[in-house]
């Protein structure tokens, strides 16, 4: 069983910053990819960023230059540094773990609200 626990969400003004964290526990392969998705009310869940255990990163175009994803493999933890936040970034942010040949795991989510 794998557990993912997110933290760091909150309410900020436009232009502000937040740092999200996700800690994974359980039986986790050393080869994996961890990432972040977000979902606003009434909208589909969308990709934000991810990072492989080897360090390769991917970002959605909407967050490039503003968000930075990083990880600590020893702690099975992934971070999302969010700068220059915009009201359209408001959503529940979910942590995701991908491992080879198994279904992905998801966290419960953390709310990020950006006021105008």
């Amino acid at each position: 069983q794998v557990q993912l626990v997110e933290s760091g969400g909150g309410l900020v003004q436009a232009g502000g910053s937040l740092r999200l964290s996700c800690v994974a526990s359980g039986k986790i392969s050393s080869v994996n990819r961890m990432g972040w998705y977000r979902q606003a009310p009434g909208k589909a869940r969308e990709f934000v960023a991810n990072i492989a255990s080897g360090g390769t990163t991917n970002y959605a175009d909407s967050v490039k230059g503003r968000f930075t994803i990083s990880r600590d493999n020893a702690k099975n933890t992934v971070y999302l540094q969010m700068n220059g936040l915009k009201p359209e970034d408001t959503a529940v942010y979910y942590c995701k773990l991908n491992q080879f040949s198994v279904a992905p795991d998801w966290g419960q989510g953390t709310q990020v609200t950006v006021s105008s």
Side-chain angles (χ1 to χ4, degrees):
Q1 294 252 56
V2 174
Q3 299 257 3
L4 301 175
V5 180
E6 304 100 328
S7 62
L11 173 63
V12 297
Q13 292 183 314
S17 298
L18 284 173
R19 185 182 186 236
L20 306 183
S21 299
C22 173
V23 180
S25 61
K27 295 183 178 180
I28 302 170
S29 172
S30 60
V31 179
N32 63 70
R33 179 174 293 275
M34 299 182 71
W36 295 92
Y37 286 68
R38 65 188 182 187
Q39 188 167 26
K43 298 182 65 177
R45 190 170 299 186
E46 66 176 4
F47 168 77
V48 176
N50 61 28
I51 182 168
S53 50
T56 301
T57 59
N58 294 286
Y59 295 93
D61 288 343
S62 59
V63 307
K64 283 182 179 177
R66 300 188 297 122
F67 293 8
T68 302
I69 191 168
S70 61
R71 64 184 293 162
D72 185 334
N73 289 342
K75 297 179 179 179
N76 284 322
T77 300
V78 64
Y79 307 94
L80 187 67
Q81 179 66 47
M82 304 186 294
N83 299 325
L85 284 163
K86 305 174 181 179
E88 51 262 45
D89 295 319
T90 296
V92 177
Y93 283 70
Y94 296 92
C95 182
K96 183 185 181 184
L97 169 67
N98 286 101
Q99 302 181 83
F100 187 72
S101 295
V102 298
D105 294 281
W106 294 88
Q108 292 295 111
T110 184
Q111 177 71 48
V112 172
T113 302
V114 184
S115 62
S116 60

